[in-house]
């Protein structure tokens, strides 16, 4: 279910449970999946469908959005270079590339966009963004002067960076990156050691990838004469955070804060003076405190003294920490013991039932 679907189901259930309620729906995201939809819908923007290079060089549909101002593009890296696009039986971060993400950026530049909001969650890559950068015109050469392949396995071979073929429009554009992790580029908390295994890296491959990341990290710090390796978020999305920050002067910022600013949620709350706000996520647990949507909405509830109720797929250990952050209550939608597959199949009915029952409680 999309964010918009969930909003519509919740509204329908609450309208059934309550007497003539006034309900606004606002499909939003936290910089991860659903960010393109949230910003396109709420700004009156449009979608662009583009055939791009997938993480393993297969053709995929790299859908992105152009906002209502017609100058801001919103891109989800996962739509071109995402783990969900790869065959889970054949993952290999030594070979996967972020080239398709660069193709989306280049297409948006060609369409006149000069501002970018880029969500970098869910990637299948550990290439420090060199695939993306190659699509934008950057060149990376080995000791023999040959161009390297834009993948993680090439990072240790790079000795030279060329930017003479990068269009000035790419370099002059503004980039905001939705990034809710603070991992550095290298080390035990870096891109490779923390996220490499979930992208298919075995222990011997982790060593190769980490050595390559260290080599490339030092190279780009020398090239740009600025600190990049230890920047919080540099290790996000297999080093994509470092690439965008280092090569394109991007600002790494909380995804929710970016979206909140674009949509101007504060003004909406101030104008409407809501009695209660609803939010939710798939599973609420200790990670919810790490800049996710529920935390953002709860913080707004605390700021404006409005109760916030979270309706989630499930509640797991640590969710109760949110009660100190502005959350009033949380509910899991499963109404009996069930397998995940059953919950997914029946998600719409379970969600409707939960919102309906909460509505009945609010009516007391």
């Amino acid at each position: 279910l999309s964010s918009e679907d969930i909003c519509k189901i919740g509204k329908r259930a609450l309208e059934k449970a309550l007497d003539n309620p006034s309900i606004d729906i606002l499909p939003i995201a936290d910089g991860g999946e659903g960010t393109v939809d949230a910003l396109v819908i709420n700004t009156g923007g449009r979608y662009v469908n583009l055939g791009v290079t997938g993480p393993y060089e297969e053709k995929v549909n790299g859908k992105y959005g152009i906002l209502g101002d017609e100058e801001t593009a919103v891109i989800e890296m996962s739509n071109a270079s995402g783990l969900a696009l790869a065959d889970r039986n054949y993952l290999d971060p030594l070979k996967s590339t972020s080239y398709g993400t660069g193709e989306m950026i280049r297409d948006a530049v060609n369409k006149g966009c000069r501002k970018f909001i880029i969500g970098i969650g869910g990637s299948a890559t550990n290439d420090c963004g060199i695939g993306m950068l190659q699509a934008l015109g950057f060149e990376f050469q080995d000791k023999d002067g040959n161009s390297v392949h834009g993948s993680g396995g090439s990072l240790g071979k790079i000795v030279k960076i060329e930017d003479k073929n990068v269009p000035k429009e790419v370099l002059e554009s503004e980039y905001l990156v939705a990034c809710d992790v603070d991992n550095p580029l290298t080390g035990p908390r870096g891109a490779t050691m923390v996220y490499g295994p979930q992208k298919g890296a075995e222990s011997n491959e982790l060593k190769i990838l980490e050595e390559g990341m260290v080599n490339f990290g030092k190279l780009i710090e020398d090239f740009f004469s600025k600190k990049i390796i230890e920047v919080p978020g540099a290790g996000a999305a297999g080093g994509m955070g470092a690439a965008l920050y280092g090569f394109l002067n991007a600002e790494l910022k909380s995804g929710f804060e970016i979206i909140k600013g674009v949509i101007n949620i504060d003004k909406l709350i101030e104008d409407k003076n809501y009695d209660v706000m609803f939010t939710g996520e798939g599973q609420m647990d200790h990670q919810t405190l790490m800049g996710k949507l529920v935390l953002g909405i709860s913080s707004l509830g605390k700021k404006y003294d409005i109760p916030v109720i979270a309706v989630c797929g499930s509640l797991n250990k640590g969710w109760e920490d949110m009660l100190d952050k502005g959350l009033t209550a949380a509910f899991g939608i499963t109404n009996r013991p069930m397998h995940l597959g059953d919950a997914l199949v029946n998600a719409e009915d379970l969600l409707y039932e939960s919102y309906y029952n909460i509505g009945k409680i609010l009516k007391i």
Side-chain angles (χ1 to χ4, degrees), residues 156-175:
K157 304 173 185 176
I158 301 172
V159 299
K160 187 178 181 182
I161 299 169
E162 289 279 2
D163 60 1
K164 62 180 183 293
N165 293 322
V166 182
K168 65 180 178 60
E169 293 84 0
V170 169
L171 297 174
E172 292 172 357
S173 293
E174 298 174 16
Y175 301 88

Side-chain angles (χ1 to χ4, degrees), residues 13 30 46 54 73 84 86 113 118 133 212 238 261 298 304-305 309 312 318 322 351:
D30 57 12
R46 60 189 174 92
C113 294
I118 304 176
L133 293 166
S298 298
Y304 292 103
D305 197 24
I309 298 173
C312 306
M322 284 298 304
L351 194 64

Side-chain angles (χ1 to χ4, degrees), residues 298-356:
S298 298
S299 298
L300 287 172
K302 190 172 186 177
K303 177 179 178 180
Y304 292 103
D305 197 24
I306 300 172
V308 175
I309 298 173
V311 182
C312 306
S314 64
L315 304 177
N316 208 341
K317 187 176 180 180
W319 77 265
E320 62 277 1
D321 294 340
M322 284 298 304
L323 296 173
D324 294 327
K325 303 296 181 180
L327 183 69
T328 306
F331 298 86
I333 66 173
T334 51
N335 57 10
R336 63 188 183 280
M338 63 177 66
H339 293 293
L340 176 60
D342 293 332
L344 293 173
V345 168
N346 296 293
E348 184 171 342
D349 291 339
L350 292 168
L351 194 64
Y352 181 93
E353 181 183 273
S354 296
Y355 269 102
Y356 178 80

Side-chain angles (χ1 to χ4, degrees), residues 259-277:
I259 293 171
K260 186 180 77 166
V262 172
I263 300 174
N264 203 350
I265 299 176
D266 282 85
K267 186 176 187 304
L268 181 65
I269 294 172
E270 289 168 359
D271 290 346
K272 295 285 187 169
N273 192 28
Y274 295 111
D275 295 309
V276 63
M277 296 193 297

Side-chain angles (χ1 to χ4, degrees), residues 66 70-73 108-116 169 173:
I66 296 179
E70 283 294 321
E71 68 172 356
T72 304
V109 167
N110 291 341
K111 285 181 168 59
C113 294
R114 297 295 179 266
K115 296 180 180 179
F116 288 83
E169 293 84 0
S173 293

Side-chain angles (χ1 to χ4, degrees), residues 126-130 148-149 151-159 192 208-209 211-217 219 238:
N126 203 88
D127 67 350
C128 203
I130 63 169
V148 303
H149 183 257
S151 58
S154 299
L155 292 172
K157 304 173 185 176
I158 301 172
V159 299
T192 300
I208 296 170
L209 289 166
E211 289 175 351
M213 201 72 82
V214 168
N215 172 68
F216 190 63
L219 191 65

